Amino acid sequence: MIRRIEVAEGYTLADYALHAWLGEAVGALRAAASAAAPRLAGRTVWIVSATARGGGVAEMLPRIVALLRQVGVHAEWRVIDAPDPRFFPLTKRIHNLIHSAEEPLPDEGDRALYEACSQALAAELRQLVRAGDLLVVHDPQPLAAGALVAREAGIRAVWRCHIGFDQATPGTRAAWAFLAPWATAYDRAVFSLPAYVPAFLADRAIIVPPAIDPLSHKNREMSVPKLTGVLRAAGLVVGDHPQLMAPFARQVERLTAGGGYTAAGLDALGVLFRPLVVQVSRWDALKGFAPLMAGFARLKTERLASVEVPWRRAMLGATRLVLAGPDPTGVQDDPEAAAVLADLAARWQALPDSVRDDVAILRLPMASIRENARIVNALQRCATIVAQNSIAEGFGLTVAEAMWKARATMVGPAAGPRAQVRDGVDGRIVDDATDPGAIAALLEEMLTTPKQREVWGTNARARVAGSFNILRKTARWLEILAGLADSPARGKG
Ligand code: UDP
């Protein structure tokens, strides 16, 4: 039920230091490491999460683990499997409630299930940890298991919560009440934004916004030949002459063979020479794929019909939409994904013919994380606009990824994207991510203002380089872990 995850070493700090804009961050990480290393010597830092694939947590953890190891910290990453098939659907409901989505509130039966599963997980986790070790537990799924181990074995522990909503609703209150008995067992609780900290954890909360690795396969520079090659290898462009916009035949095959979604529109879709709006996310209703597609349809019908300036008409007429996410069979803790994708495919089927041909729903292969990352990198780099139309979003690493690539971003007004994009400075924020009319109007404005797009993209890149890079985050984690190691040991029980 608990699996060890291998982590590739990746770039060394010396490699990062060669990049002018990362030198300072490497220096800060080295300084944090020399202060922390003696305090962490002889201890293992156990990092526990719910999945190694798909989503922001799985994106960051391998890099943080690799960097911690490079500076001499013994870090181990473990992923939990569900002890019961109802476990991940329940934790997903709690996740959704924290993001204020409509869901049934948890009841006593849910609590009993969560406790029983957590006890089974804790029994296994306890076999691993030794006195003096530190535990870092991510999100609600392994929260209670970690709490049990921390309490029973007297282990110092941090809970890293990647989700949050900036208002209190009956749903968020019920979810927090469900989690509170476990969350309070932790010495520290780390959140992405101050607005996400529930009052009962304020005494131990620390804010650490997520970050991207600028040298990862997801984010590193890509030459045009490389980019074309990646898309061709993925079946998204075929033939020796990508400019011919050959059909996405292989991708269509994969989609149809994989599970019966003819999530297509692909034959007619080119990515390299036509304006593209791209959103890459997990298949989650809160990511706002459906309203984005409806907004795009409105742009291509009603709004296009009223545009008179010829070049604007041409621009909007040529624009295409790509909605991409992980193949649901490859992501273990996201039970809703298949249903969300099926719903989206049905909405796609119902689009007017002329619009359908300009929309592609891509189920990206998950067998190789590297291949997946390269495809995401290439798609984001091809985009005229990267959308992240989230209705709720704890942070939204995809936004930082697109900003780093100097793309113009259009984001929903959720707190996470808003913490990254300053409206009109490094991208645009749509007033209401559920309103197709507002989305269509903003897409039209952004697609027809090329100079502004350039400014937003350039500013966006500078903002990410300064604020959201993984070297600085790892330095911060070293401080947190060393502080925890110094704090008095807990009593058992
Ligand atoms: N992602 C990916 N492949 C996919 C879909 C998403 O690699 O097919 C990545 C995406 O690039 C980003 C992460 O998953 O790095 C999503 O993180 P984010 O914080 O945006 O949202 P979360 O999934 O954590 O809610």
Side-chain angles (χ1 to χ4, degrees), residues 54-57 59 95 218 280-282 287 324-327 364 366 372-373 376 380 388 393 395-399 401:
V57 181
E59 184 72 24
H95 171 121
K218 175 77 53 74
V280 181
S281 296
R282 287 179 300 102
K287 298 291 181 184
D327 183 344
L364 303 182
M366 294 298 285
N372 181 282
V376 172
Q380 288 173 334
Q388 189 57 54
E393 185 69 79
F395 185 73
L397 270 183
T398 47
V399 179
E401 289 160 7

Side-chain angles (χ1 to χ4, degrees), residues 43 69 108 112 160 165 179 207 210 221-222 228 460 477 484:
R43 304 170 194 271
R69 286 180 185 168
E108 279 314 305
R160 176 39 168 130
F165 192 64
L179 300 177
I207 306 302
E221 287 299 332
M222 253 190 187
T228 327
W477 270 104
L484 198 61

